[in-house]
Amino acid sequence: MRILVCGGAGYIGSNMTAMLSAEGHKPVVFDNLVTGHRSAVVGALFVHGDLADYELLVETLKKYKVEAVMHFAALIEVGESVQAPLKYYHNNLCNTQNLLSAMEATEVDKLVFSSTAAVYGIPNQVPITEDSPKEPINPYGETKMAAERMCHHQSQTGKLAFASLRYFNACGAGNNCSLGEDHHPESHLIPLAIQAAMGKRSEIPIYGTDYPTPDGTCIRDYIHIEDLCRAHLLTLNKLEATSEEVCELVYNLGNGKGYSVKEVIETVKKVTGKDFKVVAEGRRPGDAPVLTSDATKAMNELGWKAEVSELEEIVETAWRWHSKHPDGYPN
Ligand code: UFG
């Protein structure tokens, strides 16, 4: 299929693009390169553009005869979203509306949308199922939930078959460890701990050691990037195969296992063979104590299961990427 990958120069989008290309699809990456990296785009055509540019979107969808869209282009920093909510509403919601309008105008009717476990807020029960209450606790989660709702309403018209994939903690490196995580600034635990192991940071903070968990630190569900991307391929196949007039799919994507912040840090030390300083700090606003996914639905309906489920294996892939790219991507 000819697939427009919005945000295809970012961490998840670039891994998805490489996988689509390896599977014989024809991806076209559309990215403004504000947070993405041009050199992370392999095996695809590249359009330098912003989702706010409706004309360019329409032109691109037509020019490449796009059949389906995967939408990864979003801002993802929870803390920043609290400081600059309008920036998040603009990027994550208004731009998604622009994309849907361009798709409607060009009759492109399939969308796989990147959503997040942040739509659930602080869950009253874990592991989290798709029908758990959605009560985001920050603007980032709110904008993702609002975009999901917009896609839902558009799908009700019969003009859009869409899937919302709610990611838990995507991590590791894919495409033979050639595509990894390179955010500026970096806020994610695994890359930060690896940077500490590499001596690029003097220490790593633990945000909160008094949570109601066995070791007092937050528990997350870490899912390897290639498992995550594979679920997108299966989702796309399902969207394509549907004969329903209205098609809306929602899946949690996680591996169901929870690891605490302390366990992640210990794993990074073990995999890298380096010790580094760890400092206990106060809680980070917006953090839920435990977020783990119940991915039974994806398993039953897509035949999907996370294959790389051991944290050590996931961290090894990230470590291989960071070792080869100590300064991140060249551009
Ligand atoms: N953490 C630390 N020290 C750090 C960085 C993180 O202790 O230096 C902790 C956090 O407080 C959290 C855990 O490590 O408890 C994981 O934090 P990340 O920032 O790596 O990931 P999050 O769970 O906060 O966020 C991820 C995605 C978000 C998404 C969210 C959904 O990055 O985009 O999952 O739950 F919204």
Side-chain angles (χ1 to χ4, degrees):
M1 281 177 98
R2 288 177 298 273
I3 299 159
L4 189 72
V5 186
C6 301
Y11 168 49
I12 303 176
S14 61
N15 274 282
M16 190 70 241
T17 299
M19 191 177 279
L20 284 169
S21 170
E23 290 290 319
H25 292 288
K26 292 190 173 57
V28 176
V29 167
F30 190 96
D31 200 297
N32 62 11
L33 296 180
V34 169
T35 55
H37 305 279
R38 179 65 183 88
S39 58
V41 178
V42 288
L45 293 163
F46 180 77
V47 178
H48 187 191
D50 196 286
L51 286 183
D53 189 343
Y54 176 81
E55 303 300 330
L56 183 61
L57 270 174
V58 168
E59 186 190 316
T60 305
L61 291 166
K62 280 188 189 159
K63 180 172 172 187
Y64 297 107
K65 300 186 170 56
V66 169
E67 295 159 278
V69 174
M70 288 188 174
H71 178 19
F72 301 91
L75 297 174
I76 59 162
E77 295 292 329
V78 168
E80 186 191 40
S81 80
V82 177
Q83 301 302 323
L86 299 183
K87 184 175 167 186
Y88 275 68
Y89 274 86
H90 176 73
N91 270 275
N92 296 356
L93 186 61
C94 300
N95 284 352
T96 301
Q97 181 263 314
N98 220 29
L99 174 63
L100 293 186
S101 298
M103 289 174 69
E104 182 178 272
T106 52
E107 295 179 9
V108 178
D109 62 357
K110 287 179 265 304
L111 173 71
V112 181
F113 176 68
S114 296
S115 190
T116 168
V119 299
Y120 298 114
I122 298 180
N124 46 26
Q125 205 174 304
V126 287
I128 304 170
T129 55
E130 288 80 354
D131 54 10
S132 302
K134 286 175 285 303
E135 290 162 1
I137 53 170
N138 50 60
Y140 167 66
E142 287 284 356
T143 60
K144 284 288 184 176
M145 191 175 77
E148 276 196 12
R149 294 299 295 160
M150 184 168 58
C151 292
H152 158 77
H153 289 297
Q154 181 66 353
S155 79
Q156 294 298 304
T157 67
K159 293 177 192 166
L160 180 75
F162 105 98
S164 182
L165 302 182
R166 296 183 186 143
Y167 311 156
F168 283 67
N169 291 56
C171 53
N175 201 38
N176 287 322
C177 301
S178 67
L179 298 171
E181 222 170 331
D182 185 11
H183 300 112
H184 297 275
E186 188 54 77
S187 66
H188 295 96
L189 181 61
I190 292 176
L192 284 174
I194 290 178
Q195 287 172 5
M198 294 171 86
K200 296 178 88 69
R201 287 177 191 271
S202 56
E203 60 188 38
I204 178 115
I206 295 186
Y207 297 132
T209 51
D210 59 349
Y211 282 100
T213 59
D215 68 15
T217 66
C218 287
I219 292 176
R220 292 289 179 273
D221 179 333
Y222 295 88
I223 172 171
H224 189 258
I225 186 75
E226 287 188 329
D227 278 326
L228 191 73
C229 291
R230 216 164 26 79
H232 289 64
L233 286 179
L234 295 167
T235 302
L236 189 66
N237 291 344
K238 195 168 169 70
L239 282 183
E240 202 190 1
T242 187
S243 52
E244 306 284 322
E245 201 171 309
V246 171
C247 175
E248 173 177 355
L249 308 171
V250 181
Y251 300 113
N252 282 344
L253 298 179
N255 79 48
K257 279 192 190 172
Y259 292 97
S260 74
V261 174
K262 279 188 180 164
E263 285 173 321
V264 171
I265 290 173
E266 286 313 310
T267 305
V268 170
K269 287 185 176 178
K270 185 175 172 202
V271 167
T272 60
K274 314 266 185 211
D275 198 9
F276 49 86
K277 193 173 165 197
V278 179
V279 191
E281 287 193 8
R283 293 183 178 195
R284 190 173 70 173
D287 273 344
V290 182
L291 290 174
T292 53
S293 89
D294 181 334
T296 311
K297 189 164 177 250
M299 218 176 286
N300 291 344
E301 295 186 14
L302 299 173
W304 175 83
K305 190 174 176 302
E307 282 170 9
V308 190
S309 61
E310 292 306 317
L311 185 61
E312 199 168 317
E313 219 182 322
I314 297 177
V315 171
E316 268 163 20
T317 67
W319 173 231
R320 277 178 60 191
W321 185 81
H322 283 275
S323 308
K324 280 198 201 126
H325 303 81
D327 298 315
Y329 286 108
N331 60 37

